[in-house]
Amino acid sequence: APSVLCNGAALYDFAAGEYLDTNFLDGEAHRRVQAVLDRYPAVAVEAYHIGNTIHAVQPNEITRHHEHITHVSVTEAASLLDVPAPLGKLMFEGAHGELAEIRHYLESQPWSDGYELIFSDPTLLEMTARGANKGGMVRRLAARLGVAMERVYCAGDEANDLSMLTIAAEGFAPANCAAAVRESGATIVSDAAHDALADIIDILDKRYA
């Protein structure tokens, strides 16, 4: 089936090698975010280009750790202005306090209603176009596949998963999920490193037996 990418900014069909639906960042995002980076030299940004390339500006140890755990290499860029468009998302990486300041600053701007800002981790702040979230794109995917929303089940562990967990017929989360996910009412299963998906399959197998 097609996959939701960039926190809901795109729906990509890997079999066909094409985008089916997109909601990319506007052309002003490069300039606006670079201005933020100029004010916060310790903060990095990963820029997700639709060509399946990730560019890192001001990479830091969080960038390197993220690169290590995802096994996806990044290409360094001197400035966000050098990174080609369009972009699916921008991800700030830094100390939580600085990221909270950045989020507050961005949300206070007159153009803030064009973007979504959400923490996917205390040290990761994701920026996408308004309406680009996992919940919205899961709805579009279900519609394309002809699947009623009461038959859609989602699993996630971080705050950027909440939009899809709450629109699903039932949301599932591993035992080591973020507090916000646990508080959302998601059904808690085993730890993500062990039997989380097996638990979900078992629950749904019994439901539809």
Side-chain angles (χ1 to χ4, degrees), residues 119-122 156-162 165 173-186 188:
F119 279 100
S120 54
D121 178 272
D157 62 349
E158 288 289 351
N160 63 341
D161 297 316
L162 287 171
L165 294 175
N176 59 328
C177 65
V181 174
R182 183 178 293 275
E183 293 164 5
S184 73
I188 305 300

Coordinates of all heavy atoms in Angstrom, one line a residue, residues 119-122 156-162 165 173-186 188:
F119 N 6.4 18.5 18.6 CA 7.5 17.8 19.1 C 7.3 16.3 18.8 O 6.3 15.7 19.2 CB 7.7 18.0 20.6 CG 8.4 19.3 21.0 CD1 7.6 20.4 21.4 CD2 9.8 19.4 20.9 CE1 8.3 21.6 21.7 CE2 10.4 20.6 21.2 CZ 9.7 21.7 21.6
S120 N 8.2 15.7 18.1 CA 8.2 14.2 18.0 C 9.1 13.6 19.0 O 9.1 12.3 19.1 CB 8.6 13.8 16.5 OG 9.8 14.4 16.2
D121 N 9.8 14.4 19.7 CA 10.7 14.0 20.8 C 11.1 15.2 21.5 O 11.0 16.3 20.9 CB 11.9 13.3 20.1 CG 13.0 12.8 21.1 OD1 13.9 13.7 21.5 OD2 12.9 11.7 21.6
P122 N 11.5 15.2 22.8 CA 11.9 16.4 23.4 C 13.0 17.2 22.7 O 13.1 18.4 22.9 CB 12.4 15.9 24.8 CG 11.6 14.7 25.1 CD 11.5 14.0 23.7
G156 N 1.3 4.1 17.2 CA 2.3 5.2 17.3 C 2.7 5.4 18.7 O 2.1 4.9 19.6
D157 N 3.9 6.0 18.9 CA 4.4 6.2 20.2 C 4.8 7.6 20.6 O 5.1 7.8 21.8 CB 5.7 5.3 20.4 CG 6.8 5.7 19.4 OD1 6.6 6.5 18.5 OD2 7.9 5.2 19.6
E158 N 4.7 8.6 19.7 CA 5.1 9.9 20.0 C 4.0 10.9 19.7 O 3.0 10.6 19.1 CB 6.4 10.3 19.2 CG 7.7 9.6 19.7 CD 8.1 10.1 21.1 OE1 7.6 11.1 21.6 OE2 9.1 9.5 21.7
A159 N 4.2 12.2 20.1 CA 3.2 13.2 20.0 C 2.8 13.4 18.5 O 1.6 13.8 18.2 CB 3.6 14.5 20.6
N160 N 3.7 13.3 17.6 CA 3.4 13.5 16.2 C 2.5 12.4 15.6 O 2.1 12.4 14.5 CB 4.6 13.7 15.3 CG 5.5 12.4 15.3 OD1 5.4 11.6 16.1 ND2 6.4 12.4 14.3
D161 N 2.2 11.3 16.4 CA 1.3 10.3 16.0 C -0.1 10.5 16.5 O -1.0 9.8 16.1 CB 1.8 8.9 16.6 CG 3.1 8.5 16.0 OD1 3.3 8.7 14.8 OD2 4.0 8.1 16.8
L162 N -0.3 11.5 17.4 CA -1.6 11.7 18.0 C -2.7 11.9 17.0 O -3.9 11.4 17.2 CB -1.6 12.8 19.0 CG -0.8 12.5 20.3 CD1 -0.6 13.8 21.1 CD2 -1.6 11.5 21.1
L165 N -3.8 8.6 15.7 CA -4.3 7.7 16.8 C -5.7 8.1 17.2 O -6.5 7.2 17.4 CB -3.4 7.7 18.0 CG -2.0 7.2 17.8 CD1 -1.1 7.4 19.1 CD2 -2.0 5.7 17.5
A173 N -0.6 1.8 21.1 CA 0.7 2.4 21.5 C 1.5 1.4 22.3 O 1.0 0.7 23.1 CB 0.5 3.7 22.3
P174 N 2.8 1.4 22.1 CA 3.7 0.5 22.8 C 3.8 1.0 24.3 O 3.6 2.2 24.6 CB 5.0 0.5 22.1 CG 5.0 1.9 21.4 CD 3.6 2.1 21.0
A175 N 4.2 0.1 25.2 CA 4.3 0.4 26.6 C 5.2 1.5 26.9 O 5.1 2.3 27.9 CB 4.6 -0.8 27.4
N176 N 6.2 1.7 26.0 CA 7.2 2.8 26.2 C 6.9 4.1 25.4 O 7.8 4.8 25.1 CB 8.6 2.3 25.9 CG 8.7 1.8 24.4 OD1 7.8 1.3 23.9 ND2 9.9 2.0 23.8
C177 N 5.6 4.3 25.2 CA 5.2 5.5 24.4 C 5.4 6.7 25.3 O 5.5 6.7 26.5 CB 3.8 5.3 23.9 SG 2.6 5.3 25.3
A178 N 5.3 7.9 24.6 CA 5.3 9.2 25.3 C 4.1 9.3 26.2 O 3.0 8.8 25.9 CB 5.4 10.3 24.3
A179 N 4.2 10.1 27.2 CA 3.1 10.3 28.2 C 1.8 10.9 27.5 O 0.7 10.4 27.8 CB 3.5 11.3 29.3
A180 N 2.0 11.8 26.5 CA 0.9 12.3 25.8 C 0.1 11.3 25.0 O -1.1 11.4 24.9 CB 1.3 13.4 24.8
V181 N 0.8 10.3 24.5 CA 0.1 9.2 23.8 C -0.6 8.3 24.7 O -1.8 8.0 24.5 CB 1.2 8.4 23.0 CG1 0.5 7.2 22.3 CG2 1.8 9.2 21.9
R182 N 0.0 8.0 25.9 CA -0.7 7.2 26.9 C -2.0 7.9 27.4 O -3.0 7.3 27.5 CB 0.2 6.9 28.0 CG -0.3 6.0 29.1 CD 0.7 5.8 30.2 NE 1.9 5.0 29.7 CZ 1.9 3.7 29.7 NH1 0.8 3.0 30.1 NH2 3.0 3.1 29.2
E183 N -1.9 9.2 27.5 CA -3.0 10.0 28.1 C -4.1 10.2 27.0 O -5.2 10.6 27.3 CB -2.5 11.3 28.6 CG -1.6 11.2 29.8 CD -0.8 12.5 30.1 OE1 -1.0 13.5 29.3 OE2 0.0 12.5 31.0
S184 N -3.8 9.9 25.7 CA -4.8 10.1 24.7 C -5.9 9.0 24.7 O -6.9 9.1 23.9 CB -4.1 10.1 23.3 OG -3.7 8.8 22.9
G185 N -5.7 7.9 25.4 CA -6.6 6.9 25.4 C -6.3 5.7 24.5 O -7.1 4.8 24.3
A186 N -5.1 5.7 24.0 CA -4.7 4.6 23.1 C -4.6 3.3 23.9 O -4.3 3.3 25.1 CB -3.3 4.9 22.5
I188 N -2.8 0.3 25.1 CA -1.3 0.0 25.4 C -1.0 -1.4 25.2 O -1.7 -2.3 25.8 CB -0.9 0.5 26.8 CG1 -1.3 2.0 27.0 CG2 0.5 0.3 27.0 CD1 -0.7 3.0 26.0

